[in-house]
Amino acid sequence: MSPQDRLPLVEAMRTAIAASTAVLGTTSPNPPVGAVILDVDGVVVGVGATQPAGGPHAEVMALREAGEKARGGCAVVTLEPCNHTGRTPPCVDGLLAAGVAEVHFAVADPNPKAAGGADRLRAHGVEVGSGLLEEQVRRGPLRAWLHYARTGRPHVTWKYAATLDGRVAAADSTSRWISSPESRAEVHQLRRQADAIMVGRGTVLADDPELTARAEDGSLADRQPLRVVVGAGDLPVGARVRNDLAETLHLRTHEPKMVLAELAARGVVDVLLEGGPRLAGAFVAAGLVDRVLLYLAPGLLGAGPAALAEAGVGTIADTVRLQFEEVGMSGPDVRISAVFPR
Amino acid sequence: MSPQDRLPLVEAMRTAIAASTAVLGTTSPNPPVGAVILDVDGVVVGVGATQPAGGPHAEVMALREAGEKARGGCAVVTLEPCNHTGRTPPCVDGLLAAGVAEVHFAVADPNPKAAGGADRLRAHGVEVGSGLLEEQVRRGPLRAWLHYARTGRPHVTWKYAATLDGRVAAADSTSRWISSPESRAEVHQLRRQADAIMVGRGTVLADDPELTARAEDGSLADRQPLRVVVGAGDLPVGARVRNDLAETLHLRTHEPKMVLAELAARGVVDVLLEGGPRLAGAFVAAGLVDRVLLYLAPGLLGAGPAALAEAGVGTIADTVRLQFEEVGMSGPDVRISAVFPR
């Protein structure tokens, strides 16, 4: 294939990222990977993404679509193709059998059992490139899974909405709505992409949230995350979180490590922690919040609860320090993402 | 002058804005205006800015520098030239006497006494344009003065630094430092440009701030704003705010309207409100905060005071609503400016 005829690899990687983003929340504990096959002329002949656990990986899906057109072509994948037989055969075998001449991936596989894919491809004469749009993939669709692969713990995003003066509710506890419709729609999309949404039992008692993912028209999204309520004591029989619109798990402990171990055992990789302040404080104090996602609304209240309580910090020198990763607008609100320095 | 030889007017306006910004804090109650004179070939031959009250206006300063080169040239001014004899003669007279052929200004004069400058220039055959970089001037160097001209009240910017979870100090009241050195340097520059810095007496008792404007090396800035402390009761004899590094005004009232009337009577146009939470709450409740400037630090505390108290809001429907005007980075912090919808 001549370079000038060829669909740029970066475009193909963007397509692979989009394919992986579309399956977020459906693949755990497997990584949500996207793959694109270009034929010998650089034309897209296959696009695939990881299927639910036990199903085919992204490369296999894309190769199936490409069929014989993959021969002599190029595979563009968000994660290094695996060299490991789990519930499915190694993706490297599939790529070699299909006769692709080149493989480009964004992120190397951090899993020692699955790694070695690049080396084995090279040993079979395949040209291999890595690092294409790597940061975009690391911070995007593979963020939670890479954390899980490194630590064995689910990735926790603490999400909240607050006013400019840091309140998450008014003096009379009303909080609907602090943030804009645009921000709430984003959060429903985040819920749809997460494996689990977590709240404390106190939040269930106080606000009776349903914790479902909904579309902008109010209809239920096509998939629902696991609803997780933590804390001793029963949940009220009529609590909305007990309805049959989604699965619910009640863990009778607040202890962050135990909670995450339970969730990991159930194949949960990506958790959205939605409150309340004491549960968030316990996770922050335990060092088990990995990302803070704040929807900051352009309002002032002057009274009402703060987002975070009892995080174990007594003096300014002990401030829990993060760094801003992304700042943008969400309708009239500011969306702020902060993570811990690596 | 042929258009292609000519320094673009927008460049000249930028120079005028820079000249006006350089005199912020020195001109009140007069507006901080910048003026640039281009000769007949479009070359900058004069730059001026408003001198302290009683002194020459920007146009006069720029015309003085230009001398005879102004004849047939162009004046670019941030505010419509005045047509009013105050302590100085009308700027329109000066422009006509100098023989400029064109005048371009950003913002029309809102003061009925001083307005009419554009009309009178046109009546004398001068080509007049308006609106060039108008928003930049309105939100920038003329923001406070335009508010003052419209309302008769000083413009109040409430400035604070908070963590991601909305705290302005830790549980033990330590607050040095919530924000980064970069943000603190910005605030010193804001102080230098303000007419007055205001705090409550409680802040003086609790933190003993000096409330001076300093350069990054710690030395005193070339000008100091009026330090204003509000609240009944004496200030401690040894309070740093009573030192002789700047002038201090102690107003024995917290009542926002009375405070601003006192300050207006002293020619104060631009006030930086630096705390504490109750004083800020009183100003917010009275509708007398015009701009909120938040330095948001990427830290979490989980305990400690919030920035704002007792703003008169009891329930979410009564949230004081602003809109974000600018969001940017200040070192590792996020700088957020919010104003009230017009």
Side-chain angles (χ1 to χ4, degrees):
Chain A
M1 111 180 83
S2 73
Q4 60 270 31
D5 294 338
R6 182 167 155 174
L7 184 77
L9 289 177
V10 64
E11 276 303 308
M13 187 61 86
R14 287 207 181 99
T15 302
I17 289 172
S20 73
T21 302
V23 298
L24 277 173
T26 66
T27 68
S28 293
N30 287 343
V33 175
V36 169
I37 306 296
L38 305 177
D39 71 8
V40 74
D41 296 320
V43 174
V44 174
V45 290
V47 178
T50 315
Q51 298 303 296
H57 291 185
E59 297 89 328
V60 173
M61 294 298 289
L63 287 170
R64 277 189 195 166
E65 186 184 341
E68 268 307 301
K69 293 177 184 160
R71 193 157 303 276
C74 174
V76 176
V77 196
T78 57
L79 181 65
E80 181 181 356
C82 72
N83 189 29
H84 161 250
T85 304
R87 286 198 268 178
T88 62
C91 291
V92 165
D93 289 2
L95 290 163
L96 292 173
V100 301
E102 285 182 45
V103 173
H104 294 268
F105 59 85
V107 177
D109 197 317
N111 182 345
K113 277 199 303 188
D119 289 345
R120 188 148 157 254
L121 287 165
R122 281 197 193 94
H124 283 78
V126 176
E127 190 186 325
V128 177
S130 66
L132 189 65
L133 300 189
E134 177 171 352
E135 270 309 297
Q136 196 172 323
V137 173
R138 282 190 180 279
R139 291 181 174 194
L142 284 182
R143 180 204 294 265
W145 183 82
L146 287 169
H147 169 89
Y148 171 82
R150 195 176 70 244
T151 66
R153 289 194 312 264
H155 180 277
V156 177
T157 296
W158 172 41
K159 187 280 308 174
Y160 61 105
T163 57
L164 264 176
D165 61 323
R167 313 288 185 174
V168 297
D172 66 351
S173 297
T174 50
S175 63
R176 292 183 186 172
W177 296 105
I178 292 275
S179 62
S180 64
E182 291 88 338
S183 296
R184 301 198 306 270
E186 277 197 13
V187 169
H188 277 276
Q189 180 64 6
L190 292 175
R191 285 180 174 179
R192 183 182 165 279
Q193 296 175 336
D195 294 326
I197 316 176
M198 180 166 52
V199 299
R201 182 171 162 270
T203 295
V204 171
L205 299 182
D207 299 344
D208 193 20
E210 189 176 80
L211 301 181
T212 48
R214 291 185 176 272
E216 293 200 42
D217 65 4
S219 63
L220 277 180
D222 57 349
R223 65 166 303 274
Q224 298 295 326
L226 176 67
R227 302 182 286 197
V228 179
V229 182
V230 308
D234 293 339
L235 303 182
V237 173
R240 298 170 75 209
V241 79
R242 291 182 68 166
N243 68 21
D244 58 5
L245 298 180
E247 201 186 336
T248 298
L249 173 67
H250 178 197
L251 297 176
R252 290 174 188 270
T253 173
H254 274 106
E255 209 286 305
K257 264 200 176 155
M258 286 177 63
V259 168
L260 292 188
E262 279 279 357
L263 294 180
R266 286 162 198 265
V268 166
V269 169
D270 192 8
V271 178
L272 199 58
L273 169 57
E274 296 208 17
R278 278 204 310 279
L279 183 61
F283 272 78
V284 167
L288 293 174
V289 164
D290 304 299
R291 181 188 183 205
V292 176
L293 185 62
L294 162 59
Y295 289 89
L296 187 69
L300 296 171
L301 285 166
L308 191 71
E310 297 167 31
V313 180
T315 191
I316 198 78
D318 296 336
T319 304
V320 176
R321 294 190 189 282
L322 298 90
Q323 60 193 25
F324 292 118
E325 177 193 50
E326 206 187 310
V327 178
M329 300 303 293
S330 167
D333 304 328
V334 176
R335 183 204 315 103
I336 294 173
S337 173
V339 295
F340 288 88
R342 283 198 206 152
Chain B
M1 108 180 85
S2 72
Q4 61 270 33
D5 293 338
R6 185 166 154 174
L7 183 75
L9 289 177
V10 66
E11 275 303 308
M13 187 62 87
R14 287 207 183 101
T15 302
I17 289 172
S20 73
T21 301
V23 297
L24 277 172
T26 67
T27 69
S28 294
N30 288 342
V33 175
V36 169
I37 307 294
L38 306 177
D39 70 10
V40 74
D41 297 319
V43 174
V44 174
V45 289
V47 178
T50 314
Q51 297 304 295
H57 291 186
E59 297 90 328
V60 173
M61 293 299 289
L63 287 169
R64 278 188 194 166
E65 185 183 341
E68 268 308 300
K69 293 177 184 159
R71 194 156 303 276
C74 174
V76 177
V77 197
T78 58
L79 182 66
E80 181 181 355
C82 71
N83 187 29
H84 161 250
T85 305
R87 286 198 266 180
T88 62
C91 290
V92 165
D93 290 3
L95 291 164
L96 292 173
V100 301
E102 285 182 45
V103 173
H104 293 268
F105 59 85
V107 177
D109 197 316
N111 182 346
K113 278 199 304 187
D119 290 345
R120 188 147 158 257
L121 287 165
R122 281 196 192 95
H124 283 79
V126 176
E127 191 185 325
V128 177
S130 66
L132 189 65
L133 299 189
E134 178 171 352
E135 274 307 300
Q136 196 172 323
V137 173
R138 282 190 180 280
R139 290 181 176 195
L142 284 181
R143 180 203 294 263
W145 183 83
L146 287 169
H147 169 90
Y148 172 81
R150 195 175 71 243
T151 65
R153 288 193 313 264
H155 180 277
V156 177
T157 296
W158 172 40
K159 187 283 306 175
Y160 62 104
T163 56
L164 264 177
D165 62 323
R167 315 287 185 174
V168 297
D172 66 352
S173 298
T174 49
S175 63
R176 292 181 186 173
W177 297 104
I178 291 274
S179 61
S180 65
E182 291 89 338
S183 297
R184 301 200 305 271
E186 278 197 14
V187 169
H188 278 275
Q189 179 64 6
L190 291 174
R191 286 180 173 179
R192 183 182 166 278
Q193 295 175 335
D195 295 326
I197 318 177
M198 180 164 54
V199 299
R201 182 171 161 271
T203 296
V204 171
L205 298 183
D207 299 343
D208 193 21
E210 188 176 81
L211 301 180
T212 48
R214 291 186 176 271
E216 294 200 41
D217 65 4
S219 64
L220 277 180
D222 57 348
R223 65 166 301 276
Q224 297 295 325
L226 177 67
R227 303 182 285 197
V228 180
V229 182
V230 308
D234 294 337
L235 302 182
V237 173
R240 297 171 77 208
V241 79
R242 290 180 70 166
N243 67 21
D244 57 5
L245 299 180
E247 200 185 338
T248 298
L249 174 66
H250 178 199
L251 297 175
R252 290 175 186 269
T253 174
H254 274 106
E255 208 287 305
K257 264 199 177 155
M258 287 176 63
V259 168
L260 292 189
E262 279 280 357
L263 293 179
R266 286 163 198 264
V268 167
V269 167
D270 193 7
V271 178
L272 199 57
L273 170 56
E274 296 208 19
R278 279 203 311 277
L279 183 61
F283 271 78
V284 167
L288 293 174
V289 164
D290 304 299
R291 181 187 183 207
V292 176
L293 185 61
L294 162 59
Y295 289 88
L296 188 67
L300 296 170
L301 284 166
L308 191 71
E310 298 167 30
V313 180
T315 190
I316 197 79
D318 296 336
T319 304
V320 175
R321 292 191 190 284
L322 297 92
Q323 60 192 24
F324 292 117
E325 178 193 48
E326 206 186 309
V327 178
M329 300 304 292
S330 167
D333 304 328
V334 176
R335 183 204 316 103
I336 294 174
S337 173
V339 295
F340 288 88
R342 283 199 204 150

